[in-house]
Amino acid sequence: MTENQTLTVRDNRTGEEYELPITDGTVRASDFNKIGKSENEPGLAVYDPGFTNTASTRSAVTYIDGDKGILEYRGYPIEQLAEKSTFLEVAYLLIHGELPTKEQHERWVHEITFHTFVHENVKSLMQGFRYDAHPMGMLLSSVGALSTFYPEARNISDPDVRHEQVVRMIAKMPTLGAWSFRHAQGKPYVYPDNDLTYTENFLSMLFKMSEPKYDPDPRLAKALDVLLILHADHEQNCSTNAVRSVGSSQVDPYSAVSAGIAALYGPLHGGANEAVLKMLRRIGTKDKIPAFIEGVKNGDEKLMGFGHRVYKNFDPRATIIKKACDDVFEVTGVNPLLEIAQELERIALEDDYFISRKLYPNVDFYSGLIYEALQFPPEMFTVLFAIGRTPGWLAQWLELVDDKEQKIARPKQIYTGDRQLEFVPAEERWA
Ligand code: CMC
């Protein structure tokens, strides 16, 4: 590292030179604003649609090295957490910044377990949706609605109030997610069973029928727990950016997280696993794969579950999910779409189109196959992603609230429209 951590910029319009400090490999966008600024001219701005090269925050939650395929939560590699930890312990780690002691863990699990119920009026609200409502639409609305049940959540400057909402949201998300699922099936909503673990209780609320107590298969509960861990955070992705952006207005965390759920709903983000399954079904048989790949290369459509803004080598989560696939299929039998997925991956990874663009399977390529084997319809896949991502959203929101450098999010624009037009009233224009 050189001593001189500055960038010299010469404005060729004026011949003037500026020296901008470099900190942590970044220059401050506001420093560019001094360049060329005069009474009549605004200073220089940076143009970055999609924030592809703009850091919006300092964060100590999640580290990603996309070229090397590294993902760490609070410094711990995802591979170790997926193998040796549990979702609730990982949630604690993300929220508190370090692993819990035995006592802290017991208290945390107790707190989460005893906040799993929701107000009966939330149930009535959910029952009001159309019979075929998409569960993500139901989830984002019901999480947003929680802000009206806990109006004290608005007091975001009180750490105890913040903690209570964090616990409530992590605890209630499986309840709301499971009820969104039962709704579309016309089945009665199942109340939480607090004797079960977090993931077992979620399976119970999803699948319990008339049996007095649901008996979850521990291998499936474990696989689902691993999937939740893999999704728990992913630094400044679209939905986290939505949570931070909305949260920067100092709104309550339920409203901020429901904005995150809305962002996750889209097919380029969390909705991709649903899109992968639909794509695999549409391809149907292995002999149709070459024609499908040709269509992708011609720009007709995307190979869903491939490519990532950050990972340009491999997605470490995809590697772990492939292993989880084997564990789940041992219990449920192999998903027949697996063969198509594997063949699609093989062909794509040998094709120059995908190689040259560094397109590899991402977390969503195989997760849908597991979810389907677990009897989830595709519409539910993103709900599972949202439940997993909740501790990450909240950890990022907590970081935002305490960050003195943060301001209300307000990007600049380059205005391309007309100016100073003369308004002609409707009756004159239409005459
Ligand atoms: N299939 C075909 N071509 C692709 C794909 C794909 N899945 N992804 C990117 N490309 C092409 C793209 O057309 C472009 O080609 P060209 O240079 O010729 O114009 C090039 O690769 C670079 O792509 P990009 O759109 O500039 O990349 P991005 O970083 O803006 O987009 C992405 C990342 C994930 C949105 C994109 O790869 C994509 O749409 N993938 C499919 C959807 C998907 O699987 N999403 C899940 C992401 S992982 C879960 C999560 O974290 O949300």
Side-chain angles (χ1 to χ4, degrees):
M1 190 76 59
T2 56
E3 285 288 290
N4 202 1
Q5 292 287 305
T6 60
L7 174 75
T8 303
V9 181
R10 186 185 149 86
D11 186 345
N12 291 325
R13 298 171 302 180
T14 58
E16 240 181 286
E17 279 195 0
Y18 300 81
E19 196 166 333
L20 313 182
I22 299 176
T23 315
D24 298 323
T26 60
V27 283
R28 288 198 166 248
S30 58
D31 283 345
F32 280 94
N33 192 249
K34 299 170 197 150
I35 300 175
K37 192 168 184 151
S38 69
E39 247 175 51
N40 305 323
E41 285 294 323
L44 213 57
V46 291
Y47 178 56
D48 188 8
F51 307 129
T52 57
N53 195 32
T54 296
S56 61
T57 185
R58 293 171 175 278
S59 179
V61 181
T62 290
Y63 174 80
I64 300 178
D65 182 331
D67 292 328
K68 297 199 183 109
I70 294 173
L71 169 60
E72 295 170 359
Y73 298 158
R74 302 285 190 186
Y76 293 97
I78 190 67
E79 292 80 3
Q80 292 182 27
L81 294 172
E83 193 188 333
K84 299 178 189 157
S85 187
T86 61
F87 177 64
L88 279 195
E89 189 180 39
V90 167
Y92 184 98
L93 172 68
L94 287 167
I95 298 292
H96 292 92
E98 48 195 43
L99 289 168
T101 61
K102 190 165 182 286
E103 290 71 33
Q104 286 167 335
H105 185 256
E106 277 168 8
R107 200 174 333 124
W108 176 247
V109 172
H110 178 85
E111 276 186 300
I112 302 282
T113 308
F114 285 88
H115 279 90
T116 48
F117 278 73
V118 295
H119 194 288
E120 278 296 287
N121 289 359
V122 175
K123 187 174 153 196
S124 318
L125 173 91
M126 294 182 80
Q127 284 170 328
F129 277 90
R130 241 175 75 144
Y131 68 96
D132 58 353
H134 195 293
M136 275 300 273
M138 289 182 70
L139 187 69
L140 80 88
S141 319
S142 51
V143 170
L146 289 183
S147 70
T148 67
F149 289 85
Y150 306 110
E152 71 276 19
R154 256 177 262 151
N155 185 6
I156 63 165
S157 55
D158 182 331
D160 293 335
V161 172
R162 291 202 297 256
H163 178 75
E164 185 141 33
Q165 315 322 312
V166 165
V167 167
R168 280 177 175 148
M169 233 178 300
I170 295 173
K172 294 180 200 311
M173 204 62 92
T175 312
L176 300 175
W179 288 3
S180 310
F181 170 73
R182 303 280 293 200
H183 183 82
Q185 302 186 328
K187 289 180 181 160
Y189 297 1
V190 177
Y191 287 106
D193 179 345
N194 289 344
D195 291 339
L196 300 174
T197 66
Y198 187 83
T199 319
E200 290 171 346
N201 170 49
F202 181 44
L203 286 169
S204 167
M205 291 187 289
L206 288 162
F207 299 120
K208 185 171 178 290
M209 290 307 293
S210 61
E211 66 272 38
K213 194 157 186 77
Y214 185 74
D215 183 20
D217 187 308
R219 290 167 298 179
L220 297 185
K222 172 69 191 155
L224 195 51
D225 204 67
V226 168
L227 282 160
L228 295 180
I229 292 173
L230 295 184
H231 287 92
D233 196 50
H234 214 228
E235 50 119 305
Q236 307 311 315
N237 55 84
C238 176
S239 57
T240 301
N241 183 59
V243 170
R244 279 180 172 269
S245 185
V246 172
S248 75
S249 73
Q250 303 191 346
V251 73
D252 69 88
Y254 298 103
S255 303
V257 167
S258 69
I261 300 174
L264 191 69
Y265 199 171
L268 295 191
H269 191 8
N273 49 18
E274 179 179 342
V276 170
L277 244 273
K278 288 182 173 159
M279 173 189 77
L280 293 176
R281 281 219 192 91
R282 194 157 40 83
I283 295 173
T285 49
K286 283 207 279 188
D287 57 305
K288 305 244 175 66
I289 293 176
F292 171 80
I293 293 277
E294 274 317 298
V296 170
K297 286 159 65 176
N298 290 337
D300 299 345
E301 60 183 303
K302 279 188 168 167
L303 171 51
M304 298 309 283
F306 259 64
H308 200 276
R309 173 62 59 80
V310 180
Y311 296 118
K312 300 296 176 194
N313 184 346
F314 69 96
D315 180 341
R317 303 168 300 172
T319 314
I320 301 168
I321 282 199
K322 263 178 137 175
K323 156 90 181 58
C325 264
D326 297 338
D327 298 344
V328 169
F329 294 159
E330 210 180 285
V331 183
T332 62
V334 175
N335 186 328
L337 293 176
L338 178 68
E339 265 198 8
I340 298 177
Q342 284 172 333
E343 182 64 3
L344 202 50
E345 180 185 359
R346 191 188 64 74
I347 294 180
L349 292 183
E350 286 174 359
D351 192 302
D352 191 53
Y353 175 93
F354 298 92
I355 296 170
S356 62
R357 288 171 178 76
K358 300 190 172 180
L359 301 172
Y360 296 87
N362 59 47
V363 68
D364 290 321
F365 194 65
Y366 283 102
S367 62
L369 293 174
I370 300 190
Y371 294 148
E372 192 176 68
L374 292 170
Q375 308 291 316
F376 291 113
E379 299 75 42
M380 266 303 281
F381 298 174
T382 322
V383 172
L384 300 165
F385 192 154
I387 295 170
R389 184 55 56 87
T390 301
W393 286 329
L394 291 167
Q396 302 268 353
W397 174 76
L398 287 168
E399 205 177 47
L400 165 92
V401 172
D402 267 343
D403 185 345
K404 300 278 174 288
E405 278 200 327
Q406 289 297 327
K407 292 175 182 299
I408 186 164
R410 192 0 176 143
K412 271 184 161 342
Q413 65 167 10
I414 301 170
Y415 180 67
T416 59
D418 294 327
R419 296 274 333 274
Q420 304 280 309
L421 301 179
E422 190 69 32
F423 179 75
V424 182
E427 53 278 18
E428 285 178 37
R429 290 194 322 272
W430 300 337

